[in-house]
Amino acid sequence: MELAYYSDYAVRLVNTEEPARGKDTLTSVEAVRDLFGGNASAARRATDADVTRFRSVRGRLRAVFEAADKGDETLAVDLLNSLLLEFPVSPQISGHDFRDDDGRPLWHMHLADHPSNATAGYAAIAAMGLAFHLTEYGVDRLGLCEAAPCRNAYLDTSTNRSRRYCSDRCATRANVAAYRARKRLEADRSDRTGLAADSTQRASANGER
């Protein structure tokens, strides 16, 4: 498994909140456990105390995306490094779950965390995954959705670094809004042109008299 895969942990956590819309789904221990996906053993470690701790880590991860979105590469790296120092992991070679045709393990890299609580474990994996993604693809591959007021985090894996939205839904919504704005602008220009033409015609008629 590529270690950059773990960067999705960061995106999932950041997107539990939509500040501009006043939405926050990270309100219970069940919501915390859902973030772990299929990692049931890690999810079982979560307690009510992790809700507040997860929110704190979420704010710090969002700050990384915000810095990257503003083009402040150094700040994004500094913020991420502070998380890596606070929440360390141990890379390990693993062969579980994956076998070749002869039944031998398909060895791959795995991030093993040694947490004191569920938040520490999740934060360690999210930060390390985001760090691998950043160093492999570049800081400009970390973005925040441009379809206001969304601002969800996303990871740009497009071949031409062209991604601007967190989802197809937001991309469609933004395109429709842009199309309507163009149509309104064209209509306004047409109205102004028509009024100008009318004024010219009236002035010409008055001059002939």
Side-chain angles (χ1 to χ4, degrees), residues 65-159:
F65 280 92
E66 288 175 342
D69 187 63
K70 293 175 182 177
D72 196 335
E73 192 168 326
T74 300
L75 178 59
V77 170
D78 287 345
L79 292 170
L80 192 49
N81 273 336
S82 69
L83 284 164
L84 292 170
L85 288 171
E86 186 173 345
F87 302 107
V89 295
S90 300
Q92 293 182 347
I93 299 173
S94 175
H96 65 82
D97 298 335
F98 301 100
R99 301 280 172 172
D100 62 18
D101 294 337
D102 296 324
R104 295 174 301 185
L106 292 175
W107 301 111
H108 60 276
M109 292 300 296
H110 175 76
L111 294 182
D113 59 273
H114 308 286
S116 56
N117 54 64
T119 303
Y122 193 99
I125 292 174
M128 183 62 78
L130 200 57
F132 275 106
H133 192 95
L134 185 152
T135 53
E136 183 171 351
Y137 300 109
V139 176
D140 57 342
R141 294 296 189 129
L142 278 58
L144 293 173
C145 186
E146 292 184 3
C150 178
R151 303 301 283 168
N152 271 349
Y154 66 83
L155 300 169
D156 184 3
T157 56
S158 64
T159 56

Side-chain angles (χ1 to χ4, degrees), residues 17-23 148-151:
E17 181 184 30
E18 295 183 61
R21 288 176 169 149
K23 293 183 178 180
C150 178
R151 303 301 283 168

